[in-house]
């Protein structure tokens, strides 16, 4: 029997892939899908720039956002910050980017396959319009992006925008429901509790119950920091709104909102707050930014998510004996999620390795050796 701790996009796909191998699987999460559901559902397989939080100049940009009230810092994790300082400005070799490209390629092909079976999660391949402060600077940054995105410069509702040509959109609300059905139909047992500890071959639940298994995948987002993985919670909010909107999918980085139209609602998401507190008041600013595009609307519901971000924005997929940790999707967790889950399962079953381990946080000299394992 295998145990998956965490039922976000990575945990749900991990459970599906393990069950597909014919294994008995238990998925542990008090509210599966809850955090992942907050996401906009814009899949950007050819763009990594959004996750590059360790490029030179990013901390100044983030502090400026904080000063303007566009970001909130409510939690400082010194271990994460020290690791951030270590990897600040660090460039990775081709091999790392090839692995990220492969995670994205695998993920998109999985969503496409699921949609071909039944498109009950509004999978659409269509351009994304991104409104940014400085188009020329963004174009220059994109030319350096290791995943080499295809883009044009265009216009949306009278505003200049970068148009990403290889984007995909899915409804994360509907995708979570679909994945839930997938795991249920494969006989995965869901335990609606939180794990309090993970050890070799066993998971201790919050009420003291102990689950024993042949292997464990920890896909619990930023909770993986409890296992010593440097991931911080970058909180954001996802609203489902009923409004009139005839435009395309828009990412407004000036106002601070993503707008994704679906058949029954518009998904409006935003904020990138270093914050795990129960105070969700900054969510109001997402609604205010949405109003500038949509005018009046009705709120259907809101979900809160905590993007699990490693200091370099790259995923962590690492084996420690019979435990595999799979996290670090950051802003691209849905874009890379199926790929991260698949790599985690392969690693657990001893079939293949990955270079995306925490060894990269070691001092620069040891990096090359670490990448070669
Ligand atoms: C507002 C917002 C917009 C986003 N937009 C996009 C987007 O457009 N495209 C994109 O690709 N990505 C997007 N993301 C990022 C994406 O949602 C995340 O990277 C992704 O959800 C990470 O998935 P995960 O499964 O690793 O972790 P999470 O989604 O964080 O899921 C972790 C799960 O583990 C569970 N858990 C935590 N602790 C425990 C425990 N102790 N025991 C058991 N279970 C536990 C939680 O309940 C949760 O269900 C967005 C995120 C946010 C917040």
């Amino acid at each position: 029997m295998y145990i998956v701790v965490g039922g976000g996009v990575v945990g749900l796909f991990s459970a599906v892939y393990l069950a597909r191998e014919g294994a008995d699987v238990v998925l542990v999460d008090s509210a599966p899908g809850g955090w992942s559901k907050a996401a906009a559902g814009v899949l950007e397989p050819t763009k990594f720039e959004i996750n590059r939080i360790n490029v030179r100049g990013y901390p100044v940009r983030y502090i400026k956002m904080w000063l303007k009230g566009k970001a909130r810092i409510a939690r400082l994790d010194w271990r994460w910050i020290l690791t951030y300082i270590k990897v600040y400005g660090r460039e990775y070799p081709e091999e790392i980017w090839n692995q990220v490209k492969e995670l994205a390629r695998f993920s998109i092909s999985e969503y496409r396959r699921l949609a071909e079976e039944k498109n009950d999660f509004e999978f659409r391949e269509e351009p994304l319009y991104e409104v940014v402060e400085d188009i020329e600077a963004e174009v220059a940054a994109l030319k350096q992006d290791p995943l080499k995105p295809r883009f044009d410069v265009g216009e949306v509702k009278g505003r200049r925008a970068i148009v990403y040509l290889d984007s995909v959109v899915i409804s994360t609300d509907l995708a979570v429901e679909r994945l839930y059905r997938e795991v249920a139909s494969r006989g995965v047992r869901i335990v609606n509790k939180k794990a309090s500890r993970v050890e070799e071959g066993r998971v201790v639940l919050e009420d003291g119950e102990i689950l024993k298994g042949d292997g464990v995948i920890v896909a619990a987002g930023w909770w993986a920091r409890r296992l010593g993985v440097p991931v911080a919670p970058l909180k954001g909010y996802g609203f489902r709104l009923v409004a009139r909107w005839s435009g395309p999918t828009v990412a407004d980085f000036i106002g601070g909102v993503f707008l994704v139209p679906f058949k029954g609602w518009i998904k409006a998401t935003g904020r990138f707050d270093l914050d795990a507190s129960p105070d969700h008041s900054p969510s109001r600013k997402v609604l205010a930014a949405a109003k500038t595009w949509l005018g009046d609307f009705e709120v259907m519901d809101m979900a809160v998510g905590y993007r699990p971000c490693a200091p370099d924005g790259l995923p962590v997929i690492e084996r420690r004996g019979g435990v595999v940790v799979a996290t670090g999707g950051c802003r691209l967790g849905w874009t890379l999620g199926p790929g991260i889950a698949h790599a985690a399962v392969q690693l657990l079953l001893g079939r293949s390795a990955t270079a995306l381990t925490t060894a990269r946080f070691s001092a620069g000299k040891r990096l090359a050796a670490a990448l070669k394992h």
Side-chain angles (χ1 to χ4, degrees), residues 36-361:
S36 284
K37 237 173 26 182
V42 177
L43 310 180
E44 301 181 89
T46 59
K47 182 184 166 209
F48 195 76
E49 197 260 339
I50 197 164
N51 258 19
R52 299 250 269 172
I53 54 176
N54 65 328
V55 286
R56 292 196 187 280
Y58 187 86
V60 174
R61 288 213 304 273
Y62 194 79
I63 287 167
K64 277 188 187 158
M65 275 165 58
W66 174 62
L67 290 172
K68 286 185 193 160
K70 289 187 169 182
R72 184 167 195 253
I73 303 175
R75 179 175 198 287
L76 286 180
D77 173 345
W78 291 107
R79 199 168 43 175
W80 189 91
I81 289 172
L82 286 175
T83 313
Y84 183 84
I85 292 167
K86 230 183 208 178
V87 298
Y88 183 61
R90 186 182 280 179
E91 288 298 334
Y92 288 115
E94 192 78 13
E95 182 194 352
I96 287 278
W97 296 117
N98 286 341
Q99 291 213 0
V100 177
K101 275 184 207 165
E102 179 50 27
L103 295 180
R105 189 208 57 77
F106 179 89
S107 300
I108 299 299
S109 69
E110 277 295 271
Y111 291 119
R112 200 176 280 129
R113 183 185 63 76
L114 288 171
E116 275 162 15
E117 273 173 30
K118 187 169 187 198
N119 192 357
D120 51 7
F121 55 104
E122 296 198 38
F123 173 96
R124 306 191 306 255
E125 303 192 53
E126 62 180 34
L128 159 72
Y129 288 72
E130 217 174 86
V131 177
V132 290
E133 297 267 4
D134 185 341
I135 297 246
E136 277 65 38
E138 189 77 7
V139 166
L142 287 171
K143 287 186 176 156
Q144 305 297 317
D145 191 299
L147 302 194
K148 303 193 173 34
R150 286 194 317 125
F151 63 93
D152 272 342
V153 174
E155 217 182 79
V156 56
K157 304 271 174 194
R159 300 176 71 176
R160 280 182 86 211
I162 309 248
V163 188
Y164 292 96
L165 303 171
D166 296 316
S167 299
V168 174
V169 165
I170 59 169
S171 161
T172 56
D173 300 87
L174 297 176
V176 161
E177 287 175 19
R178 167 70 180 271
L179 288 169
Y180 216 85
R181 285 195 291 276
E182 292 277 331
V183 295
S185 71
R186 288 177 160 84
V188 173
R189 181 160 76 89
I190 296 178
V191 174
N192 288 113
K193 292 180 191 173
K194 278 188 179 160
S196 62
R197 241 178 24 247
V198 174
E199 295 160 357
E200 186 68 38
R202 61 183 219 151
V203 173
V204 182
L205 303 180
E206 55 189 344
D207 59 2
E209 190 190 340
I210 294 175
L211 299 175
K212 291 191 178 155
D214 301 307
V216 182
I217 291 182
V218 178
W222 80 284
W223 189 78
R225 70 181 286 281
R226 294 280 288 271
L227 277 73
V229 178
V231 268
L234 271 301
K235 196 205 266 186
Y237 307 92
F239 289 93
R240 287 195 293 173
L241 307 177
V242 181
R244 279 178 207 278
W245 175 249
S246 55
T249 293
V250 173
D252 172 8
F253 278 92
I254 301 175
V257 69
F258 273 49
L259 295 171
V260 193
F262 295 106
K263 284 179 193 142
W265 58 82
I266 293 178
K267 191 76 180 264
T269 64
R271 304 294 295 182
F272 193 58
D273 295 342
L274 200 44
D275 177 9
S277 77
D279 171 12
H280 302 325
S281 56
S283 65
R284 285 198 297 265
K285 299 196 175 179
V286 179
L287 291 180
K291 201 168 167 53
T292 62
W293 290 90
L294 303 174
D296 290 335
F297 51 73
E298 243 176 71
V299 176
M300 281 171 72
D301 57 19
M302 179 187 92
V304 182
Y306 303 88
R307 304 173 186 85
C309 296
D312 55 7
L314 285 162
V316 172
I317 310 165
E318 172 165 302
R319 185 178 175 131
R320 298 158 178 200
V323 177
V324 168
V325 187
T327 186
C330 198
R331 284 181 120 143
L332 294 171
W334 278 91
T335 306
L336 305 174
I340 295 174
H342 187 253
V345 167
Q346 298 306 307
L347 196 56
L348 186 69
L349 301 178
R351 292 181 188 154
S352 62
T354 122
L356 295 167
T357 68
T358 53
R360 67 179 187 266
F361 302 126

